[in-house]
Amino acid sequence: AVASEVLLATGHLDGVCRVWDTRSPDVALELEGLTAPVAGVACDARTSKVVVLGRDATVRVFDARTGARLHALAHAALRVSAPAARVSLSPCGSYAAAPSTTGDCVVFDVEAGVASVVLGPPGLHTPAV
């Protein structure tokens, strides 16, 4: 579960992601269009975005106000094998970072709906002699 001001998003292994308004005990939205168990979720009340990382290695971006799916994103470098993984939103809410079991981190531009950059694992440099 991830909270952001008044939003709380929960992802479940049955492929359901729920968005809650913390001022109410009721579910505000159930996000549709998920095709695999949820591995990670992030939300930003300021931009009204919910980002869901699925076990199928897709990152889906939703509008938290309407539940509309804005983007379904994937990248060949993104691999998800653990039941739970972290997906993070940048402070500005424009980028999402998803870790891969390969050691890479795939950064998506959630505004444009594209993979922005793949960051490789640390320690791959050769020290100076």
Side-chain angles (χ1 to χ4, degrees), residues 12-16 33-39 52-58 60:
H12 305 272
L13 291 177
D14 62 359
V16 174
L34 302 170
T35 58
V38 175
V52 180
L53 173 61
R55 294 276 313 272
D56 59 355
T58 59
R60 289 179 171 79

Side-chain angles (χ1 to χ4, degrees), residues 57 73-79 106 108 115 117-118:
L73 309 168
H75 192 280
L78 184 58
R79 306 261 192 279
V106 182
F108 294 94
V117 68
V118 177

Side-chain angles (χ1 to χ4, degrees), residues 25-114:
D26 300 321
V27 174
L29 289 171
E30 280 200 7
L31 302 178
E32 298 180 6
L34 302 170
T35 58
V38 175
V41 63
C43 63
D44 185 342
R46 190 178 41 78
T47 62
S48 298
K49 287 189 185 74
V50 177
V51 177
V52 180
L53 173 61
R55 294 276 313 272
D56 59 355
T58 59
V59 173
R60 289 179 171 79
V61 183
F62 293 88
D63 183 320
R65 294 168 296 198
T66 64
R69 187 176 75 193
L70 305 175
H71 302 292
L73 309 168
H75 192 280
L78 184 58
R79 306 261 192 279
V80 180
S81 64
R86 186 166 190 83
V87 62
S88 299
L89 273 167
S90 64
C92 66
S94 296
Y95 298 93
S100 177
T101 58
T102 63
D104 294 323
C105 179
V106 182
V107 179
F108 294 94
D109 180 330
V110 299
E111 300 292 332
V114 297

Side-chain angles (χ1 to χ4, degrees), residues 1-4 7-12 17-20 22 31 41-43 49-52:
V2 177
S4 180
L7 288 182
L8 173 72
T10 59
H12 305 272
C17 185
R18 293 182 181 91
V19 178
W20 309 76
T22 58
L31 302 178
V41 63
C43 63
K49 287 189 185 74
V50 177
V51 177
V52 180

